[in-house]
Amino acid sequence: PTFLKVKANALENPFYVGVAVKAHQLTEGSAYDEVLKNEFSSITAEYEMKMNPISTGSGSYNWEAADKIVNYGNDNGINVHGHALVWHNAVPDWLSNFSGTDTEFALEVKKFITDVVTRYAGKVRSWDVVNEAVDDNGNMRNTIFLQKMGPDYIKDCYQWARDAANTAGDTDLLLFYNDYATSTNIPKQDRVFSIVDDLKANNLIDGVGFQMHNTYLSPTKAQIETDINRAVALGLKVHVSELDIQVNQNNDITYLTEERALAQKEKYKEIVKIYNALPKANKYALTVWGFKDNESWIPYSTDLNHPGNDWPLLYNDKFELKKAHTGFLEGL
Ligand code: XIL
């Protein structure tokens, strides 16, 4: 078989092929370990490098899972993308219930960002500093960070990340802004790019992460290109950061039919082609959000309105290659 990273590495303008991982998968000799080393050249922690699992209290941390993921990448020559320092869905209880002043709250956020970026300086190539700061109406999402720190919180977080990296001697750390549904939701896209523009004007951002939790019907090629090209126009790197492609968003099938499998294959191929056509300077990584269909977050997500079956990834439950995998290869 041809492996994804082998083909991606051989391109004229190569890029990383990434996968979201969980620490328990990274045991030498496991099926995940084998597939990962064959196929992928970058990893993102699916949740274990978010604030919630790491930050156990003010200035106290549980680094176990995060260390395991970072060390695995470093030991095996696999790129490590950090995800995510600030996200409204991963705020630890102690910080959600914080009773100090707003200034003290901001200092806690600063301390967290500084300590995490410092610990992994030189080991993590890039960080999503702020994740999903825009809501689906195109407004600034009304998070605890916005409420307590005001609209400049985004800039502050990027500045703190940059300062921590520079102080630790990592002047090459790439800082990303990451969000979802920007290709189809134009008010949201506009708001995201006003944030990104502003960060860029302050020299605080290196790239944009487009999550791409897509379906086999949407977004279209043109929608994706328009969205991504806004990052290219700003001279920023593009990370397709959480790719998966739903085939049962309307809950109308009970198993992965041949027809849907083929449609999904074409959609994987389309997005890989779009990514591959980017100029060299704008390429970074295209990351799929997990290994196997039965372990994907999609069927379990309460935000997505089809809490049933779906088959959004490249491998089936038995770790066999799907047509989607062939589509990915054909896009390279
Ligand atoms: C999801 C993970 O897949 C789940 O395992 C976790 O419980 C919740 O988060 N946008 C993001 C990701 O930026 O971090 C989310 O990942 C999916 C949506």
Side-chain angles (χ1 to χ4, degrees):
T2 310
F3 295 121
L4 303 177
K5 80 163 178 201
V6 174
K7 215 168 165 194
N9 281 338
L11 294 165
E12 194 179 320
N13 298 322
F15 58 88
Y16 294 127
V17 182
V19 63
V21 300
K22 301 165 189 170
H24 79 83
Q25 297 167 335
L26 305 179
T27 308
E28 253 326 294
S30 73
Y32 302 98
D33 171 64
E34 201 180 307
V35 169
L36 214 170
K37 285 172 181 162
N38 282 335
E39 297 256 56
F40 296 101
S41 45
S42 182
I43 50 177
T44 303
E46 187 164 345
Y47 58 84
E48 287 154 313
M49 291 174 75
K50 293 167 182 168
M51 191 186 271
N52 192 353
I54 291 180
S55 172
T56 53
S58 174
S60 70
Y61 303 102
N62 178 355
W63 301 111
E64 209 180 310
D67 279 0
K68 188 168 177 193
I69 291 168
V70 173
N71 290 336
Y72 180 93
N74 290 180
D75 291 348
N76 292 294
I78 294 168
N79 183 68
V80 183
H81 172 68
H83 172 81
L85 294 169
V86 172
W87 186 35
H88 67 281
N89 259 339
V91 182
D93 286 346
W94 74 268
L95 196 62
S96 307
N97 302 325
F98 193 72
S99 59
T101 64
D102 290 356
T103 308
E104 287 164 346
F105 180 93
L107 284 171
E108 295 293 353
V109 175
K110 177 179 182 182
K111 184 166 172 51
F112 174 78
I113 290 175
T114 305
D115 288 351
V116 176
V117 170
T118 302
R119 183 177 185 87
Y120 297 122
K123 299 180 171 180
V124 164
R125 179 77 182 91
S126 51
W127 272 104
D128 292 329
V129 180
V130 176
N131 191 33
E132 302 182 354
V134 178
D135 70 21
D136 294 340
N137 298 314
N139 299 315
M140 294 291 294
R141 190 185 289 278
N142 189 16
T143 66
I144 191 170
F145 305 103
L146 182 68
Q147 288 162 15
K148 293 195 181 279
M149 297 164 67
D152 276 347
Y153 87 89
I154 297 183
K155 231 183 286 174
D156 288 343
C157 291
Y158 283 79
Q159 188 69 60
W160 296 331
R162 182 68 85 210
D163 289 348
N166 286 343
T167 303
D170 181 3
T171 52
D172 294 328
L173 181 67
L174 302 173
L175 304 183
F176 280 78
Y177 176 79
N178 193 56
D179 218 322
Y180 67 89
T182 51
S183 301
T184 47
N185 184 335
I186 301 306
K188 185 168 184 175
Q189 184 186 115
D190 287 344
R191 177 72 64 174
V192 164
F193 278 96
S194 87
I195 292 170
V196 169
D197 267 339
D198 193 37
L199 289 168
K200 174 68 183 167
N202 288 281
N203 214 358
L204 288 171
I205 189 168
D206 304 288
V208 181
F210 300 84
Q211 291 184 12
M212 300 282 176
H213 297 294
N214 294 348
T215 77
Y216 75 108
L217 298 172
S218 170
T220 65
K221 179 170 187 274
Q223 286 172 322
I224 294 172
E225 284 172 342
T226 302
D227 192 15
I228 283 181
N229 281 338
R230 293 181 76 164
V232 172
L234 291 167
L236 295 169
K237 292 197 184 298
V238 173
H239 185 195
V240 171
S241 54
E242 307 182 11
L243 180 62
D244 45 35
I245 300 182
Q246 299 167 43
V247 291
N248 195 23
Q249 69 274 17
N250 298 322
N251 241 328
D252 60 345
I253 52 174
T254 54
Y255 67 97
L256 178 55
T257 61
E258 176 85 3
E259 190 195 354
R260 288 293 159 88
L262 281 169
Q264 183 183 52
K265 173 193 168 190
E266 290 308 311
K267 219 57 186 164
Y268 265 104
K269 181 173 171 176
E270 177 180 88
I271 191 152
V272 173
K273 276 186 136 173
I274 293 169
Y275 193 83
N276 194 20
L278 291 173
K280 183 177 184 169
N282 305 99
K283 282 183 173 175
Y284 177 50
L286 192 159
T287 298
V288 291
W289 206 240
F291 290 95
K292 298 156 68 177
D293 283 340
N294 59 325
E295 292 169 2
S296 164
W297 75 299
I298 292 286
Y300 306 101
S301 170
T302 47
D303 298 336
L304 304 169
N305 55 8
H306 65 300
N309 289 326
D310 212 321
W311 303 272
L313 296 171
L314 301 179
Y315 310 88
N316 71 14
D317 305 5
K318 296 180 199 139
F319 244 132
E320 294 159 348
L321 301 178
K322 292 167 57 192
K323 292 189 170 63
H325 185 278
T326 309
F328 197 121
L329 278 175
E330 287 177 4
L332 289 168

